[in-house]
Amino acid sequence: MRNIYYSLLSLVTMFLFASCGDDDYALQVGFEAPTELITPVDNHYIAIDLENTAPTVFEWTASESKYGGVVLYEVVFDIPSGDFSNPFFRIRSAGGGSQNYLSLTSGQLVSIARDAGIGVDSEGEVKWTVIASQGGESKVTEQVNVLKLKRPAGISDIPTTLFIYGDGFEADSFDTAMQCKMIADGTFEIIASLNDGNIKLCNSLADDRTYYQLGVNNKLIEADGEADIPVTGTGNAYRIVIDFNLLTISYTEIQNIQMIRTWQYNLGDLVYEGNHKFSVSGIALPYFHDWGYPEERYRFWVTTNNGLEIWGSYHNDAMNGSNIPGLTAFNVQPDGTSEPEEYYNIYNLADIPSPGQNQDWTGMYKLPVGSEDKTADVIIDMSPSQDYKHSITVY
C-alpha cells in the first residue's frame, strides 16, 4: 500500500510541474530575416573604376535568432525583372557567411554588370537582397534595393579561352600559338620564355577570333584585328597573367628554382628547358642530415624579380593534413603506387592560407622510397593544359 501511495504522489507532483511548465515557458525556435538593407541605398549609382582599390560595402541589419544560434547570409543579385528564384550572382557574406556585411571589389562589380547583360561602357540596373539561413531553413529579406552600374570601357565579352604568340614570346607564330591556363573566371596564366618584342592575344584560333591590345592607361581593350602588345624580356621563363576583370597584364620573371631539402639545403638548381618545363639531372640525394638520420622532406624555392616564392605541396606543416580542402594528406615516402594522384602537384604557397602554421615546414613533399645515397632527375611541368606538377626519377 505504501508503494502505491508514493507512486500516486509522484505522478501528481510530475503533473503539477508539467502544468506549471506549460504556463510559464515556451521553447523559442527559428529566426527572422533581416529587416533592412542599409547600404548601398536604393537606386545608388556606381561608375565602376578599375583603378579604385576601395571595395564597395553591402550591409544590412542582423537577423534575430530566437535561441541565439548562428544565422548565415548570402547576398543575391538579379535582373530588374527577376524574382530571385534564380539569381545570376550570389555570394556569401564576410566571415564565411556569418557577418551582416560584404565587401565587393571593382572586378567583382564588373562581373556582376557583365552577367546582368550590361554592355561595355554602358549603364544598367541590377537589384539585390539578402537570404538568411539557419538549420536548413532560408528566409529572403523583403526589402529589395536597385543598384545602378556603369560598366567601364574595355572588353565587351570576357573570353573563356585565350591564346598567345608573337616574336617576343616562346611561340613566335600563329601556327605555334600556346593556349593559356584559366585560373579564375576571366583570368589566364601561362609560364613561358619572353624576349624583347611583341606578343599577340586572341580568344580563339578560328577565323572569327577576337584580338586584344593595350589602350589608354595600359588597359586591355578589343582590337580591330591582329595587334601587337610590346614586351621586354631576358629570355628567361616568365609567369604571364592576363586579367580581363581588371584589364591588366602582369609579368613575373622566374630567375632561378632550387630544390631545397628541409628549409635550408639546396639539392640542385632547375633550368628552364622550354615548353613550360624546368629540369635538373643527376642531383645527389645524400642519406645523412646534420642531425644524423635521414630527412626526406623538400620543396622548391623560386627567385623572381619580385622576390622569393616557395612552391610546394598542399600539406600542412606536420604533413598530417591538407591546406587545400578535399585533398588527402600523405605523410610517408611515396612508392609510385600508394600516394594520392595529386601528391606531386605544385602550388605557390602564397596562394594557400596556412594560419598559425610553421612556415618553415608547410608545403613539404617526401623523397621517394629508396632514394637515399642515390641520384635523381627532377622535372617541374607547368603546362597550362593540366595541374602544375613535378616528377622525380631516382637511379
Side-chain angles (χ1 to χ4, degrees):
M1 179 66 74
R2 178 181 297 178
N3 290 337
I4 296 175
Y5 171 78
Y6 282 122
S7 297
L8 289 173
L9 181 61
S10 298
L11 288 172
V12 171
T13 303
M14 292 173 61
F15 176 77
L16 290 173
F17 274 111
S19 298
C20 291
D22 290 341
D23 291 339
D24 301 334
Y25 176 76
L27 178 62
Q28 297 294 307
V29 296
F31 67 101
E32 299 297 335
T35 58
E36 181 184 359
L37 304 179
I38 300 173
T39 185
V41 297
D42 193 28
N43 288 309
H44 181 69
Y45 176 83
I46 299 177
I48 303 172
D49 181 4
L50 295 173
E51 299 290 337
N52 184 6
T53 59
T56 298
V57 177
F58 291 72
E59 185 179 2
W60 52 93
T61 55
S63 292
E64 178 186 353
S65 177
K66 301 298 185 182
Y67 60 94
V70 175
V71 176
L72 299 178
Y73 304 101
E74 190 176 37
V75 182
V76 291
F77 293 82
D78 209 341
I79 59 176
S81 60
D83 60 2
F84 295 104
S85 59
N86 186 29
F88 66 82
F89 191 92
R90 57 199 311 155
I91 184 171
R92 287 183 179 179
S93 69
S98 63
Q99 303 297 317
N100 61 316
Y101 65 89
L102 168 70
S103 297
L104 292 182
T105 65
S106 295
Q108 288 173 307
L109 289 178
V110 168
S111 296
I112 291 171
R114 181 187 70 242
D115 292 349
I118 300 174
V120 174
D121 200 21
S122 301
E123 297 180 359
E125 294 183 355
V126 299
K127 59 184 183 181
W128 69 278
T129 191
V130 173
I131 298 176
S133 62
Q134 184 183 74
E137 181 183 7
S138 297
K139 294 183 179 181
V140 182
T141 303
E142 290 186 3
Q143 183 178 345
V144 174
N145 280 0
V146 171
L147 184 64
K148 299 179 178 180
L149 297 175
K150 169 68 182 299
R151 183 179 172 186
I155 306 297
S156 59
D157 290 303
I158 292 181
T160 56
T161 57
L162 188 69
F163 295 83
I164 181 172
Y165 65 95
D167 59 18
F169 184 68
E170 186 172 324
D172 60 1
S173 69
F174 175 78
D175 292 336
T176 60
M178 292 179 172
Q179 184 170 353
C180 300
K181 182 184 187 73
M182 187 166 71
I183 58 175
D185 288 346
T187 305
F188 299 85
E189 177 179 271
I190 193 167
I191 292 179
S193 61
L194 277 183
N195 290 286
D196 293 345
N198 295 284
I199 60 172
K200 298 176 175 65
L201 299 174
C202 56
N203 68 340
S204 170
L205 300 181
D207 292 340
D208 60 350
R209 59 187 174 272
T210 299
Y211 281 91
Y212 307 97
Q213 65 185 28
L214 293 178
V216 178
N217 298 324
N218 284 325
K219 294 297 184 181
L220 283 165
I221 60 173
E222 293 180 1
D224 292 332
E226 189 177 53
D228 288 331
I229 298 176
V231 294
T232 58
T234 63
N236 285 334
Y238 285 73
R239 178 173 58 239
I240 306 169
V241 178
I242 306 100
D243 190 332
F244 284 92
N245 298 303
L246 299 178
L247 305 179
T248 58
I249 307 176
S250 65
Y251 309 90
T252 302
E253 182 184 6
I254 300 173
Q255 299 169 337
N256 180 252
I257 299 181
Q258 296 177 315
M259 183 176 178
I260 302 294
R261 200 169 195 173
T262 67
W263 46 270
Q264 56 184 331
Y265 292 96
N266 181 21
L267 294 174
D269 292 2
L270 286 82
V271 177
Y272 186 65
E273 62 179 48
N275 199 29
H276 325 293
K277 295 180 178 67
F278 303 82
S279 65
V280 61
S281 299
I283 62 171
L285 303 175
Y287 182 84
F288 288 104
H289 205 276
D290 279 357
W291 41 79
Y293 58 85
E295 173 55 72
E296 308 95 355
R297 288 172 291 181
Y298 69 93
R299 56 188 182 176
F300 300 96
W301 287 9
V302 183
T303 302
T304 76
N305 60 308
N306 294 322
L308 179 68
E309 297 179 358
I310 297 181
W311 294 359
S313 75
Y314 52 82
H315 286 104
N316 64 9
D317 54 355
M319 290 194 74
N320 60 2
S322 172
N323 285 325
I324 298 180
L327 300 186
T328 303
F330 191 79
N331 192 18
V332 296
Q333 290 180 270
D335 59 12
T337 59
S338 58
E339 65 271 12
E341 181 180 359
E342 63 273 6
Y343 180 81
Y344 285 105
N345 284 6
I346 280 187
Y347 307 91
N348 184 342
L349 298 191
D351 298 332
I352 305 177
S354 54
Q357 298 179 30
N358 185 336
Q359 300 305 306
D360 287 339
W361 299 102
T362 56
M364 290 290 185
Y365 307 93
K366 286 192 174 183
L367 293 170
V369 171
S371 59
E372 291 82 5
D373 283 336
K374 294 185 179 180
T375 55
D377 298 340
V378 181
I379 298 174
I380 293 178
D381 188 350
M382 307 296 280
S383 296
S385 59
Q386 62 179 28
D387 291 335
Y388 298 151
K389 60 184 59 178
H390 74 291
S391 62
I392 298 181
T393 303
V394 177
Y395 54 93

